[in-house]
Amino acid sequence: MKKILMLFIAVSLFYSCKSSKATNSVASTNESTIEKKLQHTWILENLNGKVITDKDFSTAPKIEMTSSNFSGSTGCNGIKGNLLAKDAGKLQFMNLTSETKKCEAKKEAEFLQLLKTTSSYSIENNKLYLSNQFGLTMSFKKGN
């Protein structure tokens, strides 16, 4: 009886470990799929619920994302930094640096501040939506 109980425990442990590894592998696959969706050039369309205009920026700000970094433009100054996207729908722009040329872009500081406070994202119909703790902050269209 004791041998049967030990065999049962050993088999149970074996299958539970195997099941855990399979679950972790699926989670890793899903995480890289989400990151692939972000790895594009994104052009700003809306800032705090308002469509951007030529008065706000001389050219539309854009962000080009790779699996771990980003670069782009505020419409005047170049920007770059690191991306942190651990869980599905979570995103942070880390170590953001910007050039300091004098610009006519009235909304540049607001754009930079919203990037720094971004905590999540969603992608629908080739549009990227960024949010912070207070809600939706910006939307981008997919660039070329």
Side-chain angles (χ1 to χ4, degrees), residues 19-35 85-89 121:
S19 170
S20 172
K21 286 179 185 174
T23 304
N24 288 341
S25 137
V26 169
S28 296
T29 303
N30 288 344
E31 186 173 304
S32 50
T33 303
I34 291 166
E35 288 183 351
K86 283 193 172 186
D87 298 326
Y121 76 93

